[in-house]
């Protein structure tokens, strides 16, 4: 049973991405009247679905970090607890600047090794660089402990080779950012505290991995992460929360929103970038999904995908995910077809069948052949999508309650945790049972 509404003003949530939907759900469960406004014709934001080659796939995020259990907890509350799945127990590979490809070291976090002198680390960066990384065990814990970025921390503790050849490709693939642009807290929550506690970066990584069961750093949902959006919308409908799509937002203020000529008064939760203030362009990411009838790609796969070292020859992609290898549930539904997704920095070309799109797909086909070591045939189908990652902010806009990637950082775990926290702050007291 839902809590009884209190005599408090309604809440207007501007933006129906995951952050907006999560905040709206938490607020209605806390007894507030809520309405969600969305400018586009669908909810979910960067969590979306598309059909490529007859396969229904995530068009945006296809996995989530399991740290803190945030996403799994929400999924469980939405009735999806039994649908959480782990990726195949295979390492990702690295395509290096010398044109070779190797599996990434097994015992690492964002490419940071916990055993610098292990054979796979030595094989990846060479003996000299591995010895430099091992000096981390002798360097006093305070060195680098106050580093602002992940790049600075790794460089000071383990040297430039670990940073450039291991960490940077992983971070670019996971966070769509350079390690020197990414704060330690956003990249790896708990890493700084573990460094102080354990005395070295190597031991800090080992500690964080030990606290997470094997293979649990990322997970997915059977049917796609987009199922989260479906369930969130179903819950909001059940709780009587209107989600209005295709709305023109004319004005947003801390205590009202003018939309489609109507003024709505109440507490405002901003879950959409660039509505209340001048639009600030974010980082644009192009995702190209290919579906090919080429079963041999799955017979000797390069793990769940391939990350690309900066400067690697003949490839423009920054990462490739072999979706039908990474997710066994998808392989079961694919009828032997292989689904690949390549990611690129920069503008996309609209997904409208233009010559620019054709060139992007052709580039992706060529890159996939290089990264997988097997030339690709003409794909059965392909799709090009562009997503704009929000510019990080540290404070709410104009005094409004601010949620979303711009304040939480990248990834569903961070977005969901921050949205629920901000919703609870707006409720002004302890969270109520969802009963």
């Amino acid at each position: 049973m839902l809590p009884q509404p209190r005599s408090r003003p309604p809440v207007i949530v501007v933006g129906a991405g995951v952050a907006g939907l999560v905040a709206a759900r938490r607020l209605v469960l806390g007894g507030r009247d809520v309405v969600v406004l969305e400018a586009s014709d669908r909810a979910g934001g960067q969590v979306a679905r598309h059909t490529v080659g007859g396969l229904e796939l995530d068009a945006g995020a296809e996995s989530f970090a399991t740290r803190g259990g945030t996403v799994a907890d929400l999924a469980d509350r939405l009735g999806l607890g039994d649908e959480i799945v782990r990726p195949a127990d295979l390492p990702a590979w690295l395509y290096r600047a010398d044109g070779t490809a190797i599996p990434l070291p097994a015992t690492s976090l964002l490419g940071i090794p916990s055993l610098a002198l292990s054979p796979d680390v030595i094989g990846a960066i060479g003996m000299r660089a591995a010895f430099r990384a091992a000096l981390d065990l002798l360097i006093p814990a305070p060195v680098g402990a106050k580093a602002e970025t992940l790049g600075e921390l790794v460089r000071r503790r383990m040297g430039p080779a670990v940073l450039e050849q291991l960490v940077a490709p992983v971070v670019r693939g996971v966070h769509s950012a350079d390690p020197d642009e990414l704060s330690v807290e956003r990249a790896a929550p708990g890493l700084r505290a573990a460094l102080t506690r354990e005395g070295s970066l190597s031991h800090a990584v080992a500690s964080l991995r030990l606290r997470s069961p094997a293979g649990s750093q990322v997970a997915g949902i059977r049917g796609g992460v987009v199922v989260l959006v479906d369930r969130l919308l179903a819950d909001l409908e059940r709780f009587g929360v209107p989600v209005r799509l295709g709305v023109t937002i004319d004005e947003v203020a801390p205590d009202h929103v003018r939309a489609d000529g109507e003024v709505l008064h109440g507490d405002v939760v901003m879950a959409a970038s660039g509505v209340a203030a001048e639009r600030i362009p974010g980082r644009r990411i192009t995702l190209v999904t290919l579906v090919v009838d080429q079963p041999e790609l799955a017979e000797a796969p390069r793990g769940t995908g391939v990350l690309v070292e900066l400067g690697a020859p003949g490839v423009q992609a920054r990462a490739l995910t072999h979706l039908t290898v990474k997710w066994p549930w998808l392989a079961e539904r694919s009828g032997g077809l292989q689904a690949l997704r390549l990611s690129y920095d920069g503008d996309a070309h609209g997904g409208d069948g233009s010559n620019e799109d054709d060139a992007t797909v052709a580039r992706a086909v060529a890159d996939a052949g290089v990264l997988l070591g097997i030339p690709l045939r003409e794909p059965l189908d392909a799709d090009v999508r562009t997503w704009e990652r929000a510019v990080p902010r540290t404070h709410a806009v104009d005094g409004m309650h601010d949620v979303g990637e711009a304040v939480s950082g990248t990834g569903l775990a961070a977005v969901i945790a921050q949205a629920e926290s901000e919703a609870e702050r707006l409720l002004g007291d302890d969270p109520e049972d969802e009963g």
Side-chain angles (χ1 to χ4, degrees):
M1 179 179 297
L2 291 178
Q4 292 300 310
R6 306 166 186 165
S7 63
R8 300 182 65 180
V11 181
I12 305 113
V13 178
V14 181
V18 169
L21 298 178
V22 167
R25 181 180 184 276
R26 183 67 197 91
L27 288 163
V28 72
L29 289 171
R32 300 295 292 270
D33 292 325
V34 183
V35 61
V36 181
L37 308 178
E38 168 60 42
S40 73
D41 60 358
R42 66 167 186 85
Q46 296 187 47
V47 177
R49 63 165 49 85
H50 60 171
T51 300
V52 187
L55 304 181
E56 192 171 273
L57 306 168
D58 284 306
E62 42 83 24
S63 64
F64 56 86
T66 58
R67 63 175 182 263
T70 301
V71 184
D73 180 59
L74 175 63
D76 190 55
R77 285 181 276 142
L78 293 170
L80 292 170
D82 292 338
E83 302 303 308
I84 294 176
V85 291
R86 304 296 183 191
D89 187 18
L90 295 169
W93 279 49
L94 176 67
Y95 184 67
R96 302 191 291 184
D98 63 2
T100 61
I102 59 168
L104 279 168
T107 56
S108 62
L109 176 69
L110 290 177
I112 307 170
S114 63
L115 298 170
L117 293 178
S118 64
D120 51 6
V121 175
I122 294 171
I125 63 176
M127 182 66 77
R128 182 174 181 177
F131 268 120
R132 167 61 188 90
L135 291 178
D136 163 67
L137 296 171
L138 304 178
I139 296 173
V143 175
K146 295 184 178 180
E148 293 186 2
T149 68
L150 184 67
E152 180 186 358
L153 172 62
V154 174
R155 187 182 292 108
R156 295 192 65 185
R157 299 292 313 184
M158 292 190 169
V162 167
L163 174 62
E164 295 164 11
Q165 297 178 47
L166 295 178
V167 176
V170 176
V171 170
R172 289 175 66 231
V174 173
H175 290 282
S176 306
D178 187 278
D180 284 317
E181 300 172 351
L182 194 64
S183 73
V184 176
E185 287 72 20
R186 285 183 182 245
L191 181 61
R192 193 192 304 276
L195 168 61
T196 301
R197 182 179 66 247
E198 302 294 335
S200 72
L201 188 55
S202 298
H203 288 162
V205 168
S207 172
L208 292 179
R209 289 182 57 86
L210 186 63
R211 290 166 184 242
S212 297
S216 69
Q217 293 184 45
V218 297
I221 295 176
R222 187 176 288 104
V225 171
V226 71
V227 175
L228 273 178
V229 173
D230 299 337
R231 293 296 180 91
L232 283 166
L233 288 171
D235 259 13
L236 292 180
E237 182 178 6
R238 180 162 63 96
F239 300 151
V241 175
V243 179
R244 293 167 48 182
L245 304 177
V247 175
T248 299
I249 308 294
D250 302 306
E251 179 188 1
V252 181
D255 60 352
H256 72 272
V257 174
R258 185 187 302 275
D260 289 339
E262 176 188 5
V263 178
L264 304 176
H265 294 277
D267 294 323
V268 175
V269 173
M270 176 57 64
S273 301
V275 174
E278 182 179 352
R279 188 76 173 93
I280 302 175
R283 183 187 299 271
R284 297 175 75 83
I285 304 298
T286 299
L287 300 180
V288 184
T289 302
L290 308 173
V291 172
V292 296
D293 186 5
Q294 209 164 337
E296 64 269 26
L297 295 177
E299 294 172 2
R302 287 186 169 175
T304 56
V306 186
L307 300 164
V308 181
E309 185 179 349
L310 197 64
V315 173
Q316 293 180 16
R318 60 176 173 81
L320 175 150
T321 303
H322 197 153
L323 295 169
T324 39
V325 167
K326 184 175 181 178
W327 302 113
W329 69 264
L330 180 58
E332 292 171 3
R333 301 181 185 184
S334 71
L337 299 179
Q338 302 300 303
L340 311 170
R341 186 165 80 172
L342 295 95
S343 53
Y344 295 83
D345 293 321
D347 293 338
H349 304 299
D352 58 2
S354 67
N355 291 334
E356 292 168 324
D357 275 338
D358 292 342
T360 301
V361 170
R363 177 74 259 173
V365 169
D367 284 352
V370 172
L371 295 177
L372 295 176
I374 300 175
L376 241 62
R377 302 175 195 152
E378 184 73 18
L380 299 177
D381 197 7
D383 185 62
V384 179
R385 295 289 179 102
T386 294
W387 301 106
E388 187 167 295
R389 312 309 294 265
V391 174
R393 296 194 303 269
T394 56
H395 302 289
V397 177
D398 294 334
M400 285 174 281
H401 295 271
D402 209 6
V403 300
E405 186 182 55
V407 286
S408 68
T410 304
L412 281 173
V415 167
I416 290 169
Q418 190 270 335
E420 292 198 329
S421 175
E422 188 65 18
E424 289 169 4
R425 189 170 78 86
L426 178 53
L427 289 173
D429 53 16
D430 292 333
E432 307 249 2
D433 291 336
E434 292 188 6

